[in-house]
Amino acid sequence: MSTLLGHYNYWIVIVLMMTGFYTVIARPNLVKKIIGLFIFQTSVFILFISMAKVEGGTAPIIEEGYSLYSNPLPHVLILTAIVVGLATTALGLALVVRIQEAYGTTNEDDIHVQDETD
Amino acid sequence: MLDILLDILSWILLLGGALFLLTGAIGVLRFPDFYSRLHAVSVCDTLGAGMVLLGLMLQGGLTLVTVKLMLIFYFMVFSGPTAVHALAEAAQVSGLDPVEDDREDG
Amino acid sequence: MQHLVDIVLLGLLMITGFAIVRMRSLLAVTMLTSIYSLFSALLFVVLDAVDVALTEAAIGAGISTILLLATVALTTEYEKVPSHRSLLPLLVVTLTGAALIYGTLDMPHYGDPNAPVHRHVAPDYIEDTPEEIGVPNVVTSVLASYRGYDTLGEVTVIFTAGVGVLALLGVHLRKRTEQPSDYHKLVVLRVIAKLFFPLILLFALYVLFHGDYGPGGGFQAGVIFATGFVLYALTHGLGNAERVIPPALLGILAAAGVLLYSAVGIEGMLLGGKFLEYNVLADDPVSGQHLGILLIETGVGITVAAVILIIYFGFVSRRPGGADAQDPS
């Protein structure tokens, strides 16, 4: 029971991660793949932030009357990771747009067929 | 005494807001077409969220928190109806017609 | 009580995640992705990460959605049914998931205050921040001061991604004559957008300069600033937005932010400290820290806002059908 209560958060996050992972490897559409990557990425963020949580703690902004704070370090890492994630997602989407322009499709299977016939 | 009165009032507002949000959600599920669903959503947005915010303002008292809540309220009052308007506009431009109910009233 | 909120939010995230996998309409998937981000932002608030929540709400639910919509508009709206059955991926995913869950069994319990993560540097940061840095928000002090090197690296990555998008899509300085035929219908939106535009910029500045005391900082401020201009571009047309903030200027601004950041670091060296040491910037260390943090947060904000706008302009100035559709002949 204590294992369940202590770990359910991580387990659900892993299910979310695998949802994203499945979208990346099983769906042929490139935009969908990037969305899958985005879900995977957000789930990793949730995993990190879950680890930073201290039971009974509060947000790490120092204020009189509080002594227990959650861990600020993962917050910093994830804060910057979110912005970097956006930048890399945008780069991926830009590549998808160029692929669409070059091949006329964003479906992976069609792209493979075109590559083979060339 | 006043404290208790304010507390009761704020809880009435919070619960009322929650009730409106619930009806809005049920409306989105149950209404037949896009436009009537929008109607349910906009009730949710303005009345439900507005009442919740008012209730929270009463809880906050005369502090900076209340000022911030009032700003949020201001944004909600403007952005909610605008968003619904934009949605309806977009639906109309893309050629979605409202479903007319031909059934006889029974 | 907190566990209850936690479980409800995680459950909603799972439902949204599964819906995203199943749905074939990419527009609907985009909206669900935005909702997914919003739920995770709420979860971050519950988990005490207010700064992260602000960033996720602005980026995940805001800018990402717009970029995805722009991409969907340039590609196809419906995803094709995969030609082969997806049993192998399902197997791979199940095995990976099972391995990861097996791995979590050795992890400390959720919320355990004695977990190794909480015992090394983090207590020092929380204890020393009031005296050494003098700002209440520990996240800001770690981000901008204790781990300034990391943040400089992150800003450079963002800058590089902006350059990459520019190289792939480009911002075309062509004359824009287009005014959509149903432009007059946007009148309500345009009035409201005009009303909100200055407020959004003001809020961005508040988030930037109040980041020492409350949740906020350069990253969030930059994103909110960019959102203001994106709103303007959406309602008033791209041509007008580019007249307000020309793409050429954006390139310079993106570089200027990174330069400002590094300049603060080098200024510290010139004044006899180490790279990115703020103590020497003013007469007493704490006000030096304040000045340093403010300057580098401003640099971060400028770069982030400029890069996001470069990316946005790059996407929306593209036409469906490819590069040749671009000269209006």
Side-chain angles (χ1 to χ4, degrees), chain B:
Chain B
M1 182 60 207
L2 191 68
D3 276 359
I4 299 170
L5 211 66
L6 274 180
D7 225 28
I8 291 171
L9 196 63
S10 108
W11 272 105
I12 290 173
L13 282 169
L14 284 174
L15 288 174
L19 188 73
F20 274 110
L21 287 172
L22 190 68
T23 45
I26 293 172
V28 171
L29 284 175
R30 298 279 299 157
F31 277 146
D33 78 327
F34 180 76
Y35 294 96
S36 46
R37 281 182 195 160
L38 266 191
H39 171 74
V41 171
S42 68
V43 168
C44 236
D45 243 24
T46 33
L47 212 58
M51 276 172 84
V52 169
L53 281 174
L54 274 176
L56 287 176
M57 275 182 225
L58 290 180
Q59 290 278 333
L62 289 173
T63 51
L64 196 63
V65 175
T66 307
V67 178
K68 286 179 184 170
L69 286 172
M70 276 163 90
L71 279 174
I72 296 175
F73 186 68
Y74 168 82
F75 272 101
M76 293 283 288
V77 164
F78 280 97
S79 65
T82 317
V84 173
H85 165 83
L87 272 176
E89 189 88 54
Q92 210 187 16
V93 167
S94 62
L96 187 72
D97 289 324
V99 174
E100 279 168 39
D101 195 357
D102 293 333
R103 280 177 304 181
E104 295 292 314
D105 279 294

Side-chain angles (χ1 to χ4, degrees), chain A residues 2-3 6-12 14-16 18-19 21-23 25-29 31-32 35 38-39 42-43 45-46 49-55 57-62 69-73 75-76 78-80 82-84 86-87 90-91 93-98 100-101 106-107 109-110, chain C residues 2-3 6-7 13-14 17 20-21 23 26 29 33 36-37 40 43-44 48-49 51-52 55-56 59 64 71 74-76 79-80 82-83 86 90 93 97 100-101 104 107-111 117-118 121-122 125-126 130 136-139 143 147 154 157-158 161 164-165 168 213 215 219 311 315 318 322:
Chain A
S2 76
T3 324
H7 290 96
Y8 74 91
N9 210 308
Y10 305 138
W11 294 344
I12 296 179
I14 286 169
V15 171
L16 290 175
M18 290 306 114
T19 315
F21 186 34
Y22 177 77
T23 317
I25 58 176
R27 291 283 176 245
N29 187 292
V31 179
K32 193 76 176 268
I35 289 176
F38 181 86
I39 291 181
T42 313
S43 321
F45 298 160
I46 300 175
I49 300 294
S50 313
M51 283 193 250
K53 172 77 185 158
V54 175
E55 194 78 64
T58 181
I61 295 173
I62 292 183
Y69 299 99
S70 283
N71 193 336
L73 193 57
H75 296 186
V76 175
I78 296 311
L79 200 162
T80 48
I82 291 176
V83 187
V84 171
L86 170 80
L91 203 62
L93 289 174
L95 281 170
V96 171
V97 168
R98 289 309 296 258
Q100 162 81 25
E101 286 171 6
T106 47
N107 193 308
D109 301 339
D110 296 349
Chain C
Q2 201 214 321
H3 279 288
D6 204 57
I7 289 172
L13 276 170
M14 278 219 285
I20 289 173
V21 178
M23 282 199 140
L26 290 174
V29 168
T33 313
Y36 186 88
S37 271
S40 38
L43 193 62
F44 292 152
D48 295 342
D51 284 273
V52 183
T55 322
E56 177 71 35
I59 288 188
S64 290
T71 314
L74 289 172
T75 58
T76 40
E79 180 195 13
K80 279 191 192 161
S83 52
S86 43
L90 204 61
V93 163
L100 284 173
I101 285 180
T104 59
M107 278 173 73
H109 282 191
Y110 165 66
V117 219
H118 305 312
V121 281
Y125 288 149
I126 292 174
N137 190 348
V138 186
V139 174
L143 179 104
R147 291 187 165 247
E154 312 271 13
V157 170
I158 294 163
V165 171
L168 282 168
Y213 301 96
F219 286 99
I311 292 172
F315 272 92
R318 250 358 214 206

Side-chain angles (χ1 to χ4, degrees), chain C residues 14 69 74 82 87-88 119 139 149-150 164 176 184 205 209 227 230 235 247 249 287 303-304 312 317 329:
Chain C
M14 278 219 285
L69 281 178
L74 289 172
L87 262 176
L88 183 66
R119 280 191 306 194
V139 174
Y149 278 37
D150 285 16
R176 255 171 258 279
H184 64 277
L205 291 177
F209 294 118
T227 318
V230 169
T235 51
L249 178 71
S287 47
T303 298
V304 170
Y312 173 73
S317 56
S329 50

